[in-house]
Structure formats: structure tokens, C-alpha cells
Amino acid sequence: MSGSTLGRLFCVTNFGESHGPAIGCVIDGCPPGMALTEADIQHDLDRRRPGTSRHVTQRNEPDAVEILSGVYEGRTTGTPIALLIRNQDQRSKDYGEIAQQFRPGHADYSYWHKYGLRDPRGGGRSSARLTAPTVAAGAVARKWLKEKYGTQFRACMTQLGELPIAFESWEHVPNNPFFAPVAEVGQLEDYMDALRKAHDSCGARIRVQATGVPVGLGAPLYDKLDADIAKVMMGLNAVKGVEIGDGFASVAQRGSVHGDAITPAGFASNHAGGVLGGISSGQDIEVSIAIKPTSSILTPRPSIDIHGAPVQVVTKGRHDPCVGIRAAPIAEALLALVLMDHALLQRAQCADVSQALAPVAASLK
């Protein structure tokens, strides 16, 4: 009932707090025999880690992962894989003043009423710090999926606050701190600098894509692939909206446009985002998520304390003025975890199913 475990056959249990001694996860259900080392996981953690630019939190965490179990002589054994990431740069004193107050936009008020107490240090369990173990688990899933099916994952920022970001090329994404698919990010840099000086924050929109996805993942009625994708994406800190394929733009489309025509050479379009009837079609999975503005800002805001008295809350400490800047690798990991779980479920139930008609090409465009 804790809500800390994701998946049915590929199960990931996340543990730890923002300012505790360590965070981590236990992966149960990883197939045996896959080569796995810390280096396979560390690359994705380095993409997510804090302190990598002036536009994100300056908390300096190396996020070095340790494999504690489930791997012998460099290969997975099929037993639980425990991954540990030690916290090394906590500043709990930054939260002393708000231990008795509820920060607007945070989980303080709801956690306190649900559990009767809360860990105020960096948000405790509700902190985005807990996305690091998710990224670590996702790295294991994406390696298996790539080796088995050739599936690959990528994500980019498509909007920063009020600024839409036109797509130029995936090649630009690893070359700037915004995961933006553009060559020039000067406007984004200036926007973030002004935002920080104003002691404010902004949201972001992230596009996530999986290519090389096999046909048949997902099941009716309530285990639809897109339903599970939407669920895990909403589980990511600060996410307030999820779209699959064209999402809300589908409202303005005609059926003659939205329905993806199928030809002998392949699908003519991918408005559905790679999912038909809750089952993967073999096309690219396309997901878009909306991330709200960071609630931790220096601008004073009205709230109450635990006694109900009015207070002015100022959130000090080191925070991302836009949590969406580091969300791309996290969203990739979440999508990988869902596809991994559904791939194992498909293999368990339908491994013997075959069709004379080979899957058509993903898309003609």
C-alpha cells in the first residue's frame, strides 16, 4: 500500500529520502544472463544529476551507483538487483524555518494530514531527489530492451515557460543543458537568468519517444499500454499533464486525419503515438508531459503553520528554477520501465502467438 513499487513482472521498489544517508531501489524480475555493471547505469545518472549547469540546483551530488546484489561475475542472476546511491551534499539546516510551516505548492500539507508527520528536509520522500533511483532502474530496463528488440529511448524539451522550442534535430539534445533540440539556446539561457533574478520559477513541456518497440505490448481493458504510461508519467514529480500521440490536439482533428492509414509499405502517420486499443502498434511511442513551475522559490507567499496561524513562507536552499530541465532522462527511464514490464508480460502470455503477416513499417514519415 506504500505506493513505492512499480511494475508486475519487472518490479522496482524505490526507497530513501532527500536528506537521508542514501537512496536507491530494488529491481525484482530482471531476466538472468544480461551483462551489467555500474558503468551501464552511471551514464544515465550523470545526465540527470544536479549541479551540471547554473540553471539547475547547485546541490553537488556525484550520484555514484553501487550494485549490491543480483549480479555475479558481471551478469544478472535473475535475483533481486539492489542499487544504492549515497547522499553526500545535504544541507538540512536550510529547512529549519519551514519545519512548522506548509510551503504553498508542496506536499507538506497533504503529507502531514495523511501520515501525521513529515520529513521537512528537502521534502523528504516527496523530493525529486528520489528520481535518481528511477533513472538507475530505467537504465537496466533500457539495456535489456535494446539487446532484445533494438528499442531505444530519447527525450527533449519542447517548451520552457512561455517559450516554445521548435524542433531542429535530435543531435542537438546532448549538447546543451536544456535537452533542447536546437543549436542555439541563448534565448533559453537569458530567460532562465532573468527568472532566477526575479526569485521565480517556470514549467516545461517534455517530449519522450521510444523507437523499435515491438507490436503487442499492453492489454485490455485496464492494463492498456498508454494507460500505464500515463500513470507512471503522472507519478513523476511536478507532472500535471500527459499526452499520448497528438493528445489534446486530437480534439480539433477529423477522423479522416487522425486515423493512421496503413499501407503495405507502412503506417502513413502516427497521430495515435504508437498505441492502438491500448496495445503497441510497432510505431514509435510518442509521449508529451507538462511540468508545473517549481514551488520552491524565494518570493514570500502566504500560508499557515501547523497551528493554523498565518505565515509568510520563503523557501531557502538550492532548488531548480525549472525542474523540467532535468526531466528528460527521468521520463525516458519511466517509459523504459513500463515497456520492460509489458515486454515480460507479453512474453509470458503470448510468446507462442505468430502471424503470417509480418509487422508493417513504423511510419512512412
Side-chain angles (χ1 to χ4, degrees):
M1 294 179 65
S2 67
S4 297
T5 300
L6 169 66
R8 284 156 289 183
L9 293 188
F10 191 84
C11 301
V12 179
T13 300
N14 183 302
F15 67 84
E17 293 83 31
S18 176
H19 286 214
I23 54 178
C25 65
V26 176
I27 304 169
D28 201 0
C30 181
M34 181 178 71
L36 185 68
T37 67
E38 282 91 350
D40 294 316
I41 302 169
Q42 194 62 52
H43 171 71
D44 285 341
L45 282 171
D46 290 343
R47 295 170 63 223
R48 189 221 71 99
R49 66 181 291 268
T52 53
S53 81
R54 71 177 187 274
H55 306 296
V56 300
T57 173
Q58 296 305 294
R59 180 170 174 172
N60 186 20
E61 292 286 357
D63 281 355
V65 66
E66 302 173 38
I67 300 177
L68 303 184
S69 66
V71 176
Y72 178 68
E73 294 184 342
R75 293 192 175 272
T76 57
T77 62
T79 59
I81 301 171
L83 304 177
L84 188 73
I85 302 167
R86 301 182 189 275
N87 290 327
Q88 298 185 16
D89 190 28
Q90 311 96 312
R91 291 185 187 174
S92 300
K93 60 179 174 51
D94 290 340
Y95 300 88
E97 295 182 10
I98 60 171
Q100 305 296 310
Q101 302 172 347
F102 301 121
R103 295 169 296 173
H106 285 78
D108 301 347
Y109 179 80
S110 54
Y111 266 56
W112 188 74
H113 269 282
K114 178 175 178 64
Y115 297 108
L117 72 166
R118 66 182 176 90
D119 182 350
R121 305 167 304 164
R125 186 72 181 144
S126 66
S127 171
R129 178 85 185 120
L130 274 300
T131 60
T134 297
V135 170
V140 178
R142 64 194 299 166
K143 180 172 186 182
W144 189 88
L145 289 166
K146 183 178 181 180
E147 292 181 358
K148 187 71 175 179
Y149 302 110
T151 308
Q152 298 194 64
F153 301 85
R154 53 191 180 183
C156 65
M157 180 182 287
T158 58
Q159 184 170 339
L160 177 67
E162 304 98 323
L163 304 179
I165 303 172
F167 185 89
E168 294 178 5
S169 172
W170 285 107
E171 295 177 357
H172 300 308
V173 175
N175 299 325
N176 64 78
F178 300 97
F179 294 88
V182 293
E184 175 55 48
V185 295
Q187 184 183 21
L188 306 181
E189 300 262 9
D190 294 342
Y191 181 84
M192 291 305 301
D193 288 339
L195 198 67
R196 186 180 291 278
K197 291 178 181 178
H199 295 164
D200 217 333
S201 61
C202 73
R205 184 182 178 102
I206 306 296
R207 174 191 176 190
V208 197
Q209 182 188 79
T211 63
V213 179
V215 182
L217 306 188
L221 290 174
Y222 304 111
D223 291 331
K224 292 178 178 178
L225 181 62
D226 45 357
D228 281 352
I229 291 171
K231 177 183 177 180
V232 300
M233 293 298 173
M234 286 299 297
L236 173 56
N237 307 61
V239 168
K240 286 298 183 180
V242 180
E243 294 181 317
I244 310 295
D246 286 354
F248 284 98
S250 304
V251 175
Q253 294 173 348
R254 302 290 179 90
S256 55
V257 173
H258 182 79
D260 299 314
I262 308 174
T263 75
F267 284 89
S269 57
N270 190 19
H271 299 295
V275 183
L276 296 172
I279 299 172
S280 62
S281 64
Q283 294 183 272
D284 296 346
I285 302 293
E286 289 281 355
V287 185
S288 183
I289 59 176
I291 298 176
K292 72 171 186 173
T294 311
S295 298
S296 297
I297 59 177
L298 286 171
T299 301
R301 288 168 298 162
S303 187
I304 60 173
D305 63 19
I306 62 173
H307 305 294
V311 294
Q312 287 288 317
V313 176
V314 175
T315 306
K316 300 178 181 178
R318 300 161 296 174
H319 306 286
D320 292 275
C322 176
V323 291
I325 291 177
R326 294 192 292 135
I330 308 168
E332 291 173 9
L334 287 167
L335 185 55
L337 291 173
V338 175
L339 294 187
M340 178 72 183
D341 195 42
H342 276 278
L344 294 181
L345 289 166
Q346 170 70 0
R347 189 170 69 165
Q349 182 187 25
C350 301
D352 296 329
V353 174
S354 62
Q355 294 288 356
L357 177 64
V360 300
S363 179
L364 297 177
K365 294 183 179 180

